[in-house]
Structures are given as C-alpha cells and as structure tokens.
Amino acid sequence: MKPIRHLLAAIGLSFVLSPAHAGQVEVLHWWTSGGEAKAMGVLKEMMEEQGHTWKDFAVAGGGGEAAMTVLKTRAVSGNPPAAAQIKGHDIQEWAKLGFLTNLDDVAKEEKWDQVLPPIVSDIMKYEGHYVAVPVNVHRVNWLWVNPDVFKKVGVEVPHTWDEFFEVADKIKAAGIIPLAHGGQAWQDATVFEAVALAELGPKDYTAAFVNHDMDVLSGPKMVEALTKFHKIRDYIDPNAVGRDWNVATKMVINGDAAMQIMGDWAKGEFTAADKVAGKDYECVPAPGTEGSFTFNIDSLAMFKLNNEANEKAQMDLARTILRPKFQTIFNKAKGSIPVRTDVDMASFDDCAKASMKAFKATAENGGLVPSMAHGMATTSAVQGQIFDVITNFFNTKDADPEATAKQLASAVQSAL
Ligand code: GAL
C-alpha cells in the first residue's frame, strides 16, 4: 500500500500533511534527570521554533544501557527514530550495519571540520563521512563537594586518595556519609576509572582500557587501583544499592553526603537546584587526576529515514546542535562544555571554565583520555566485560584484588 502522504499528494493535498518544510524528529535519549531534561528541553524548543514537531523517546537509566536495548529493538524492526544518543565506538558499529545517514552536506555548510577538534570529529565519522553530531564534552573525573559539610567537620577538600581516606574517616566519624554513590554497574565503573586513572596515569590508563595491554590490565598498578577502589565501600551508605546517580547528587546538594565522584552532568543537577559553583558547591578533579581529563562526548547519531519532510527536519536538528547558540544554552544546563572550541565561555560558571581550560591543556600534554565507563575507550562488548568484573568485585565483601586484576585481563581478552 502506498503511504497516505503519496496518495494525498496525488490529489493535490500534500500541503495538508507536510507544509513546505515542517517535519517530525523523534529523538531517543536517556536524559531524564532534572538537569538533563532541562538541557534536552532546549533542543526541543529550538526545533519547534523552526516549525518541526518533537517526538520525545526517553528511556530512563543513566549511562544509557536501557536506552540502547530499546534502540536495538526499534531499529531491527525497521522503525528507527530520526536520532539517537549513541556514543563513541557504538557509532561505528551502527554505521557499519548500514543504519546511519550521511550528514556531509550539513557538515560542509556549517564548517564542522573547522570548528571541531579532530579527536571529536573522528568519532563522528564513519569511513570519512559524518553520521553523528557531537553535542558536548563532559569531564568525568570530577569530585563534587559540599563545602558546608567540610567546614562543619573541619577538614580540607582532598586532592589525593590518601587525603581522601583520611578526610572520609573524619566525615564518617561526624555521622555524615562521606561519598554519595549509586550502586549500578556504570556508576561503579565511573568511580573505578577515576581511581584507575590516578593509580595508572594517563599512559597506562590508555594502555589498559584503549589498547588492552594484558600486562597493565593484570599488573601491580591495577591491583593497587582495585585495592583502593574496594576501600571506598567503607565510605558509602548501605542504601547505595540501585540508587540513581542524580539521587546521589541530591545527597551532596542537601548535605546528607559530603562528596560524589561523577561526571559533570552532576553539575546540571546543582544548576537545576539553583546552586552556584564555588559558593554552594565545589568541583575539583577526582583525587590524583589533576593533570588529566577523562572525556565523554555525547552525540546524536542520525538514522536513515524514508520521509522527505522528516529528513529535512533531521538535517535541521543536526545543524542546530552545533550552532553556538544551542551549544551555549544547552551546555550551561547540562553541566558540560561546548564541543566547539570557539564558543565564548565568559557567561559559563567556574567549573565549566576550568573544564574547558583543562580540556585544551590536556589535549596538548597527553592527559586527555577517553572514558571507559561512558563508551569512549573501547567497544561495548569489552566495556560490558569490564563492568561485570568491576561491579562484582565492588559488591563482594572480601574480594581479592590480585585475582580480580587477572580476571579483568581475561574478561577483556574474551571480548576482543
Ligand atoms: C552518560 C551521558 C551523560 C549523562 C550520564 C547520566 O553516559 O553521557 O550525558 O547523561 O550518562 O545519565
């Protein structure tokens, strides 16, 4: 049967359903927390301003595991959304399967090659063609701090893991939860990669999680990282199991907990609660990672569609995302920094300014590393193996770090 649009067009009624350029964009994402939803609302509004219809396809679950499962079902049944939040290596995998559309025309018009750092544009291209649009750059290796709690207990913000444990003991003794945490595999992995980065340094971090060097994965530094990571269990509360990351952030906002290790989407929650960086909360690099930057680039990959108006809307979506206006408003709400390096940062908060500075500096000095926990370092198959080992280890009382390091290496090997 012919689509109804064609039948109407045949009798001259096409304008009824598709006025010259209005189309619909269906966008799959997992941005459902307060800050995330506000940020996504900016894109919806800008698309509606252009006359398009926004169809929200939100699948809750930080880190996006649930969203990816739903996306697979939709795509396999031949009905993908116009755009989906797909990141890093997964972009290549979807493109290889032939699902993604070519964005080169928009990219050329908008000069994406000139405004994006190559480390970003490379991830967005498959065989040299743009198939996804980057939205932002998140720094993952942050420690979020409630300064009132620190003042009350009389301790200083930690910059190394030794300092962290010292300070955490005192906070705990004062009856406050030292570290807000959500016991979900991706959150365990987010904390673990921060500890691993501190212990391994950027070079060995890359050797382990990007190049899968078996000696580094099972070596003494990894054993030490696992040992420290396991010790963190003593400083989280028993209700952490299954807790969402934004609920953990709320604990820091309220002063129920002193700190959280989380990417700067946590800042979106502080912002949504009208909290001011440097006054109501502080951001410092996760202990021992001062000179490094773990990056997590969000991006929307665009699927092949078969409706002209919707295709046009899809290209407008791609164009809008990289315009400086969207980059500014969206990233202020999301907690991230613009992915274009030419956006004026004057109106951003201190954490965002610090993040942009660190992003640029680490790109020069080798401290810029991709986040394993957020799909930037390796394939989802390897990532899944790492998540399993790490989360089991963290959730087992007397787990053995040495045996776990060996297990980590063989789990990675099994997915290569
Ligand atoms: C990450 C995503 C971030 C943030 C976080 C929690 O994977 O890149 O933008 O939304 O999940 O949902």
Side-chain angles (χ1 to χ4, degrees):
M1 200 177 78
K2 279 192 174 173
I4 189 146
R5 196 169 57 86
H6 290 170
L7 293 175
L8 290 173
I11 54 172
L13 284 175
S14 69
F15 67 92
V16 176
L17 278 187
S18 47
H21 50 266
Q24 184 191 68
V25 280
E26 185 179 19
V27 182
L28 178 133
H29 62 95
W30 61 88
W31 287 335
T32 54
S33 77
E36 290 174 333
K38 271 204 172 152
M40 202 44 149
V42 176
L43 190 54
K44 174 176 189 266
E45 208 179 291
M46 287 190 180
M47 288 306 287
E48 287 173 349
E49 271 166 23
Q50 295 173 60
H52 300 303
T53 311
W54 177 272
K55 192 169 173 201
D56 205 50
F57 185 3
V59 181
E65 222 176 309
M68 288 304 101
T69 308
V70 175
L71 176 63
K72 278 174 203 152
T73 315
R74 277 284 302 269
V76 167
S77 65
N79 181 27
Q85 195 185 342
I86 301 178
K87 300 191 301 187
H89 289 258
D90 280 358
I91 295 173
Q92 310 301 315
E93 293 182 15
W94 281 98
K96 208 183 294 168
L97 292 170
F99 280 106
L100 303 185
T101 198
N102 185 315
L103 305 173
D104 285 350
D105 287 346
V106 179
K108 213 165 156 200
E109 274 167 42
E110 301 285 316
K111 303 196 167 48
W112 289 359
D113 274 341
Q114 282 90 308
V115 299
L116 292 175
I119 193 169
V120 177
S121 53
D122 285 352
I123 303 173
M124 304 302 139
K125 290 177 185 175
Y126 176 67
E127 294 184 336
H129 304 289
Y130 279 99
V131 292
V133 195
V135 178
N136 59 3
V137 179
H138 273 300
R139 186 181 194 181
V140 187
N141 58 320
W142 280 121
L143 180 74
W144 303 95
V145 169
N146 182 318
D148 288 344
V149 172
F150 276 75
K151 225 177 282 151
K152 198 152 86 188
V153 181
V155 285
E156 298 288 318
V157 175
H159 294 281
T160 64
W161 280 104
D162 287 345
E163 286 174 13
F164 175 91
F165 292 124
E166 227 182 279
V167 161
D169 273 330
K170 293 190 179 145
I171 296 170
K172 196 174 166 183
I176 300 166
I177 301 163
L179 192 72
H181 184 59
Q184 296 171 345
W186 74 271
Q187 294 189 62
D188 293 342
T190 299
V191 174
F192 170 68
E193 75 175 15
V195 184
L197 179 60
E199 212 54 51
L200 299 169
K203 217 165 138 240
D204 275 351
Y205 172 99
T206 306
F209 299 120
V210 180
N211 302 322
H212 308 317
D213 180 321
M214 294 298 142
D215 292 339
V216 178
L217 278 164
S218 61
K221 286 186 191 166
M222 192 62 82
V223 175
E224 185 51 34
L226 287 163
T227 307
K228 289 210 168 82
F229 174 55
H230 204 263
K231 198 168 150 99
I232 292 175
R233 285 165 50 96
D234 298 343
Y235 303 99
I236 64 177
D237 65 306
N239 297 329
V241 182
R243 178 189 285 142
D244 286 331
W245 66 272
N246 52 314
V247 177
T249 308
K250 228 325 95 70
M251 291 165 65
V252 181
I253 295 176
N254 294 341
D256 295 334
M259 303 173 271
Q260 182 183 21
I261 290 174
M262 187 49 65
D264 42 22
W265 45 94
K267 185 156 62 82
E269 301 307 298
F270 284 98
T271 307
D274 287 328
K275 301 294 179 194
V276 177
K279 181 175 153 264
D280 304 315
Y281 67 96
E282 279 169 31
C283 56
V284 292
T289 69
E290 181 106 41
S292 304
F293 187 117
T294 315
F295 70 86
N296 172 19
I297 296 162
D298 285 313
S299 45
L300 291 181
M302 304 285 169
F303 281 77
K304 284 180 182 155
L305 302 175
N306 50 21
N307 171 306
E308 228 176 274
N310 292 351
E311 279 170 357
K312 167 82 176 53
Q314 184 186 43
M315 293 305 142
D316 285 345
L317 178 72
R319 196 186 327 272
T320 305
I321 289 171
L322 273 177
R323 290 266 168 95
K325 186 175 167 204
F326 172 78
Q327 285 287 313
T328 303
I329 305 175
F330 172 88
N331 283 306
K332 279 186 188 170
K334 188 71 172 69
S336 35
I337 55 171
V339 68
R340 299 173 65 121
T341 43
D342 61 350
V343 173
D344 183 5
M345 294 296 291
S347 63
F348 280 77
D349 64 44
D350 289 352
C351 298
K353 283 180 185 145
S355 182
M356 182 59 99
K357 207 169 149 217
F359 180 59
K360 289 182 176 167
T362 54
E364 298 291 317
N365 68 20
L368 186 63
V369 295
S371 167
M372 174 277 293
H374 295 276
M376 296 285 122
T378 184
T379 62
S380 41
V382 173
Q383 186 197 34
Q385 290 292 334
I386 300 177
F387 275 23
D388 285 351
V389 173
I390 290 308
T391 206
N392 283 336
F393 172 71
F394 194 66
N395 290 296
T396 308
K397 194 160 172 270
D398 295 314
D400 175 1
E402 228 163 283
T404 304
K406 289 201 182 84
Q407 221 182 315
L408 185 65
S410 50
V412 167
Q413 181 74 59
S414 75
L416 293 180

